Amino acid sequence: MCGIQVLITQTGDGADTEKYNEIWANLTATNSRRGPDAHNEISVNVGPARIKLGAHVLHLRGPHTQAQPLVAPTTGDILCWNGEVFGGLDIGNRNDGIELLNELQRQKTHDPRTYIQRTMSKIEGPYAFVYVDREQKHVWYARDYLGRRSLLTKTMDSGAMLVSSVADTADESTAWTEVAAQKIYCVDLNTRSLDGGILEYSWQYAAGGLEIGAEDEHLVLPFGRVDQTVDDIGPISDVASSVQLSDLAEFPDICKWQPYIDQLKSELTQAVKSRVDSIPPNGTHARCGVLFSGGVDCMVLAAILTTVLPRDEPIELFNVAFENPRQTKLQSLDSVYDVPDRKTGRLGWNELERIDPHREWRFIECDVPYSQVIEHKSHVQQLLVPSCTVMDMSIGIALWFASRGHGTRVTATSRTEYMGQSRVLLLGMGADEQLGGYSRHRSAWDKSGPHALAREIALDVERIATRNLGRDDRVVSDNAKEARFPFLAANVVAFLSQTPIAYKMDMRYARGVGEKLLLRLLARQLGLVQACVLAKRAIQFGARTAKMESSQTRGQDFL
């Protein structure tokens, strides 16, 4: 993982040098928290521009830490890479940034016009990058097609352009914006203008069996549109709204569902394995953890994770709870941290120990006093930029404290202070959008039936790239941790997109059963009897970060 910062100015523009230096220093301080293992900077002249690039590395691939920016020895091209190549290139135990740069150079030799599009069409995994083609005088930058890594841009009043993983809020004359994930951008410095020569190349769905990379100009997505077929819904008489999944054998038409359950298990196992196999050894320390509420999404990820990690490795389960002064006044609690996610988290931990008693499960209670919320709130708010609503803060501060990993390790006989060791964290983002986990999905069904539900799911999956994954990356990465999202692996998205709606959810069942039904059936098959019937609960309500000061604030209100 990497923190990226780039400043592009007109050659000879010295009028705002002091301001540029201040912004650069601020960006360096913030990005260095993302990548504390190595830092380097390069400045080059390209056409009419002076380009300064900085990169801050968190070592997560290869046998040793590889400093960035990376420079191609023959062409002088420069790559800042904040990503993970999980497929499309043969990486092995090598550094994926170097292998990607080598592939870009090979493709450039064959086709200098479309080599960026061709290469990035092959890459499976989350990323943000900046690439300077010194020969063609181009600066390329982008986020992956689902927006799983943060990248922001800003054009200053002077015309200078900034690109960074995180924002600097010292200069408020112009605003930072999130780079749209549906496109790859190219600053053409041959135009002798920094703001008038930005070219855009859009990701496209493959049409009629088109092979990935077969189009000269277009970037081809590795998955198709959501199948909105509702023909297989079956007669209503087959469904009893009171059915619970504790007796899976009695579930109606389980034989029809079984191939989809098995396929989801296979795809998720592949996604989890590819996301943990390459993590460097960490001695006796944990390499991978899960942000853990005890809900069905994170429970399934943890249950699959234990099947792919070596038996002697511990798995950390980070469960966050907040002292909410408003809630404390309203109800009597044995502890201010007995929040809903703490209760389900403990149940989930016990269930994981039951299905795999030989694994060392480290359940970490990350208790956050209200005084710490006040202390760190302004820092988290800066990380959120350009996101700026009350809901962004409620979710962001929960993710920040959970990923920090400071807490108490709980066992059956002891409680000890603990600092999280994992540099990679698995998160369940993407499950709700694809499997019908939001209340608006049930509302669509209730109001207009299965076709409306199918349209709502398709719309949500289309919008994943424009939602909040960049925000979540900025918050988690600030703790020198990398968030990985198995539900958003290309193979998982492809499988779920082609699966009919009727085999992913069924809103004729009660809440806690009908939504994400396919995932719940998999959870039950994995032995997660309690977790498979838990209703969805948003993190801001489960950890109690919502409405800390006032019940009158709304999620969409600006901070």
Side-chain angles (χ1 to χ4, degrees), residues 266-463:
S266 174
E267 301 295 348
L268 276 175
T269 300
Q270 177 184 332
V272 171
K273 183 175 175 58
S274 67
R275 279 153 178 74
V276 300
D277 276 355
S278 60
I279 305 172
N282 198 18
T284 59
H285 292 172
R287 290 190 303 152
C288 186
V290 182
L291 292 198
F292 191 75
S293 66
V296 67
D297 306 346
C298 62
M299 284 290 286
V300 167
L301 292 181
I304 290 176
L305 179 61
T306 195
T307 68
V308 301
L309 279 185
R311 299 305 310 169
D312 59 345
E313 286 193 26
I315 295 176
E316 296 178 320
L317 307 173
F318 296 101
N319 181 266
V320 68
F322 287 75
E323 177 191 6
N324 185 316
R326 197 179 66 83
Q327 290 287 341
T328 304
K329 292 177 183 178
L330 293 176
Q331 53 188 298
S332 175
L333 300 171
D334 294 335
S335 167
V336 295
Y337 303 113
D338 278 343
V339 301
D341 277 4
R342 177 58 46 80
K343 296 173 183 178
T344 54
R346 288 170 178 162
L347 290 173
W349 166 43
N350 292 334
E351 196 157 45
L352 290 171
E353 288 198 314
R354 178 180 57 77
I355 68 168
D356 191 354
H358 303 295
R359 173 70 62 187
E360 182 184 352
W361 298 100
R362 296 182 181 177
F363 185 69
I364 319 303
E365 295 185 348
C366 304
D367 295 338
V368 185
Y370 183 61
S371 59
Q372 286 195 23
V373 174
I374 298 301
E375 178 184 352
H376 296 284
K377 187 174 181 179
S378 61
H379 176 65
V380 174
Q381 184 169 342
Q382 179 175 333
L383 294 172
L384 296 176
V385 174
S387 303
C388 58
T389 67
V390 169
M391 183 179 291
D392 289 321
M393 175 57 75
S394 296
I395 296 172
I397 205 159
L399 291 176
W400 190 82
F401 276 103
S403 59
R404 189 175 67 155
H406 297 187
T408 301
R409 183 184 174 192
V410 180
T411 68
T413 58
S414 67
R415 296 176 60 86
T416 55
E417 187 175 349
Y418 189 85
M419 177 77 73
Q421 301 167 346
S422 303
R423 285 187 154 193
V424 170
L425 301 173
L426 300 186
L427 282 73
M429 280 72 165
D432 289 319
E433 290 87 348
Q434 298 181 86
L435 290 160
Y438 290 121
S439 59
R440 61 178 173 270
H441 298 142
R442 185 171 287 278
S443 295
W445 166 274
D446 291 340
K447 291 178 181 179
S448 305
H451 291 283
L453 172 61
R455 288 192 297 270
E456 192 70 27
I457 294 295
L459 181 60
D460 260 354
V461 174
E462 293 272 359
R463 292 187 302 197

Side-chain angles (χ1 to χ4, degrees), residues 169-216:
T169 56
D171 173 45
E172 298 182 351
S173 60
T174 56
W176 289 91
T177 60
E178 196 114 43
V179 172
Q182 303 96 324
K183 299 178 180 181
I184 289 183
Y185 296 87
C186 176
V187 182
D188 184 357
L189 297 176
N190 293 289
T191 64
R192 308 199 65 81
S193 172
L194 302 186
D195 57 357
I198 299 182
L199 309 174
E200 301 177 358
Y201 299 88
S202 299
W203 286 95
Q204 307 287 334
Y205 287 101
L210 177 69
E211 293 295 327
I212 291 176
E215 291 185 303
D216 286 339

Side-chain angles (χ1 to χ4, degrees), residues 251-271:
F251 185 79
D253 294 324
I254 188 61
C255 291
K256 291 172 64 177
W257 283 77
Q258 196 61 54
Y260 297 100
I261 299 169
D262 294 341
Q263 189 65 25
L264 178 59
K265 179 182 178 182
S266 174
E267 301 295 348
L268 276 175
T269 300
Q270 177 184 332

Side-chain angles (χ1 to χ4, degrees), residues 127 142-149 178-185 201-203 219 221 464-466:
Y127 61 77
R143 302 161 66 203
D144 72 81
Y145 42 73
L146 290 174
R148 290 164 288 185
R149 290 289 174 263
E178 196 114 43
V179 172
Q182 303 96 324
K183 299 178 180 181
I184 289 183
Y185 296 87
Y201 299 88
S202 299
W203 286 95
L219 298 154
L221 292 167
I464 286 175
T466 65

